[in-house]
Amino acid sequence: MENQVLTPHVYWAQRHRELYLRVELSDVQGLTLLPRLECSSVIIAHRSLELLGLSSPPGSAYQVGLQNPAISITENVLHFKAQGHGAKGDNVYEFHLEFLDLVKPEPVYKLTQRQVNITVQKKVSQWWERLTKQEKRPLFLAPDFDRWLDESDAEMELRAKEEERLNKLRLESEGSPETLTNLRKGYLFMYNLVQFLGFSWIFVNLTVRFCILGKESFYDTFHTVADMMYFCQMLAVVETINAAIGVTTSPVLPSLIQLLGRNFILFIIFGTMEEMQNKAVVFFVFYLWSAIEIFRYSFYMLTCIDMDWKVLTWLRYTLWIPLYPLGCLAEAVSVIQSIPIFNETGRFSFTLPYPVKIKVRFSFFLQIYLIMIFLGLYINFRHLYKQRRRRYGQKKKKIH
């Protein structure tokens, strides 16, 4: 008696050029044996197998092999049939899907112990609003959230792959790809190592001084670690240049915003006003900056040598959530505390030429800068959130 034909669970996802289907069917073998039948066609098939050096076990009640799974695309319809273990036990399972748009008729599949993975190429690279031509989704079909991407994220992935391909072509035209890649990784490793050591020195110095001196250490923070902070922040210009010329794939805007914002605080607010250098806020600004960077640069450093330490990766993509807002808050406090000092000293203030003759105080620009601090926080926060979401997966939402 033939097994009842059932429908397996199928999960799907897409990219602009490909469709991915995951069929939940285990123990699908590459060959299905049929019972021995005493007919001429079966005998011919059996003898053909023997000529090819293939035969069934001696005395076996099975003789002829059929393709399993049977997967094909005809007239833009995917046909699937296979013997395997699914939701209804060991049975023959099959389904048919008519695609929303045209696909290439050569599906590629891979068998694993637990499932069948099918890849179908779209004829036109574009985003589909759904998988099937019929609007109502079949009951056995559901989104594959393990591989699912929104259209915008898929476009970013596509651009990243295209950039990687163009970079590869550019490197091939300029010289040995392996040599240039190794030089690039070595250069980035050394840069991240120097920054990591610099910010680690600041972080450890401030931590030890606080443990020994307590709150008294707040007031001479600038004179203790300012030289190292100047060095690290001037060196950070290289990071923005790397992004601008394509040495790294990081976007330029978030890197530039952080560079300009921090250097404004360091060189203008703290560096030019001695009255600000003895304030406790300097400790919190420097401490938060260094806490963020020791994890960021150590993560980048290990990435250059193809190492992935999961604990460090999690810290790099998580600690910024509390530390970035706290850092911006500390910067804002330092700007607010500097406003009366700039008003009193008149530094960087100027008078417009005749006939206007209006004195423009530098504190006016500081008030504008306060708004820009939180605008920059939003831009960087959004960028870091997207990075974290790409690293740790998408939010699972119901998608047709």
Side-chain angles (χ1 to χ4, degrees), residues 98 132 240 305 324 333 378 382:
E98 184 175 6
T132 59
T240 303
I305 55 176
Y324 260 91
V333 170
Y378 168 76
R382 185 168 176 267

Side-chain angles (χ1 to χ4, degrees), residues 95-150:
F95 66 88
H96 309 278
L97 286 174
E98 184 175 6
F99 293 112
L100 176 66
D101 211 332
L102 295 177
V103 298
K104 296 181 180 180
E106 302 90 16
V108 177
Y109 69 89
K110 181 180 180 181
L111 298 178
T112 68
Q113 189 175 359
R114 295 187 176 183
Q115 61 199 27
V116 182
N117 296 313
I118 306 172
T119 302
V120 179
Q121 299 290 331
K122 298 178 182 178
K123 277 199 172 181
V124 179
S125 178
Q126 62 182 2
W127 195 258
W128 291 6
E129 61 180 10
R130 61 180 184 274
L131 178 65
T132 59
K133 190 171 184 179
Q134 65 181 63
E135 292 188 5
K136 186 177 180 181
R137 175 172 59 83
L139 295 177
F140 64 87
L141 185 65
D144 185 353
F145 288 109
D146 291 335
R147 302 193 70 169
W148 194 270
L149 288 180
D150 292 331

Side-chain angles (χ1 to χ4, degrees), residues 14-69:
Q14 67 168 317
R15 299 296 185 268
H16 285 80
R17 297 172 181 170
E18 295 176 324
L19 299 168
Y20 306 113
L21 291 97
R22 173 165 55 88
V23 184
E24 290 295 305
L25 205 58
S26 61
D27 300 326
V28 178
Q29 304 299 325
L31 189 67
T32 297
L33 298 176
L34 298 179
R36 183 195 305 237
L37 298 174
E38 295 300 332
C39 64
S40 59
S41 61
V42 172
I43 293 172
I44 293 171
H46 175 57
R47 289 179 178 174
S48 299
L49 288 173
E50 288 181 340
L51 290 174
L52 293 172
L54 301 174
S55 62
S56 57
S60 172
Y62 298 90
Q63 293 294 330
V64 182
L66 293 180
Q67 183 181 0
N68 186 48

Side-chain angles (χ1 to χ4, degrees), residues 1-20:
M1 181 176 180
E2 294 184 355
N3 290 335
Q4 182 183 3
V5 177
L6 302 169
T7 303
H9 294 298
V10 181
Y11 300 90
W12 78 284
Q14 67 168 317
R15 299 296 185 268
H16 285 80
R17 297 172 181 170
E18 295 176 324
L19 299 168
Y20 306 113

Side-chain angles (χ1 to χ4, degrees), residues 134-367:
Q134 65 181 63
E135 292 188 5
K136 186 177 180 181
R137 175 172 59 83
L139 295 177
F140 64 87
L141 185 65
D144 185 353
F145 288 109
D146 291 335
R147 302 193 70 169
W148 194 270
L149 288 180
D150 292 331
E151 182 176 3
S152 58
D153 294 319
E155 288 176 352
M156 292 178 64
E157 181 184 73
L158 189 63
R159 283 198 298 269
K161 289 182 179 179
E162 184 65 19
E163 287 178 5
E164 184 178 353
R165 186 184 69 83
L166 293 175
N167 286 336
K168 186 177 179 180
L169 291 175
R170 179 172 57 83
L171 290 173
E172 287 177 352
S173 64
E174 292 175 356
S176 171
E178 184 177 354
T179 301
L180 292 175
T181 299
N182 290 336
L183 286 174
R184 172 181 166 274
K185 285 185 176 181
Y187 156 70
L188 291 176
F189 178 85
M190 291 305 301
Y191 167 77
N192 290 309
L193 175 62
V194 171
Q195 288 287 57
F196 169 73
L197 293 175
F199 281 107
S200 296
W201 184 88
I202 295 171
F203 183 83
V204 172
N205 189 297
L206 295 180
T207 302
V208 171
R209 286 175 54 80
F210 175 73
C211 292
I212 296 174
L213 302 176
K215 294 181 181 179
E216 294 298 323
S217 66
F218 292 171
Y219 304 103
D220 62 349
T221 296
F222 186 86
H223 302 289
T224 305
V225 299
D227 290 340
M228 182 60 72
M229 186 61 78
Y230 279 136
F231 171 77
C232 291
Q233 283 306 126
M234 286 189 292
L235 190 59
V237 175
V238 175
E239 195 167 335
T240 303
I241 295 174
N242 288 339
I245 64 178
V247 175
T248 62
T249 57
S250 302
V252 178
L253 184 59
S255 175
L256 183 62
I257 289 174
Q258 178 169 293
L259 173 69
L260 296 178
R262 287 187 176 181
N263 283 348
F264 180 83
I265 297 294
L266 178 62
F267 289 95
I268 303 299
I269 302 298
F270 296 155
T272 64
M273 303 298 293
E274 292 185 7
E275 296 88 342
M276 289 297 301
Q277 295 172 5
N278 297 320
K279 291 187 177 292
V281 70
V282 179
F283 173 88
F284 294 101
V285 171
F286 285 5
Y287 199 78
L288 290 167
W289 285 359
S290 58
I292 293 170
E293 301 301 10
I294 58 176
F295 293 107
R296 187 167 72 95
Y297 284 117
S298 58
F299 170 78
Y300 288 153
M301 186 172 60
L302 294 183
T303 301
C304 291
I305 55 176
D306 300 322
M307 288 184 62
D308 183 16
W309 185 22
K310 292 184 178 180
V311 174
L312 179 61
T313 301
W314 184 86
L315 290 171
R316 186 267 177 274
Y317 285 103
T318 304
L319 279 182
W320 61 266
I321 298 175
L323 293 182
Y324 260 91
L326 289 174
C328 287
L329 181 62
E331 293 174 23
V333 170
S334 67
V335 172
I336 293 171
Q337 290 183 353
S338 71
I339 288 176
I341 299 175
F342 278 105
N343 283 338
E344 182 180 347
T345 61
R347 180 165 293 181
F348 303 129
S349 298
F350 59 93
T351 302
L352 294 175
Y354 180 84
V356 180
K357 288 188 176 181
I358 296 176
K359 186 175 183 179
V360 180
R361 294 183 178 274
F362 186 65
S363 58
F364 171 75
F365 297 102
L366 293 179
Q367 293 169 16

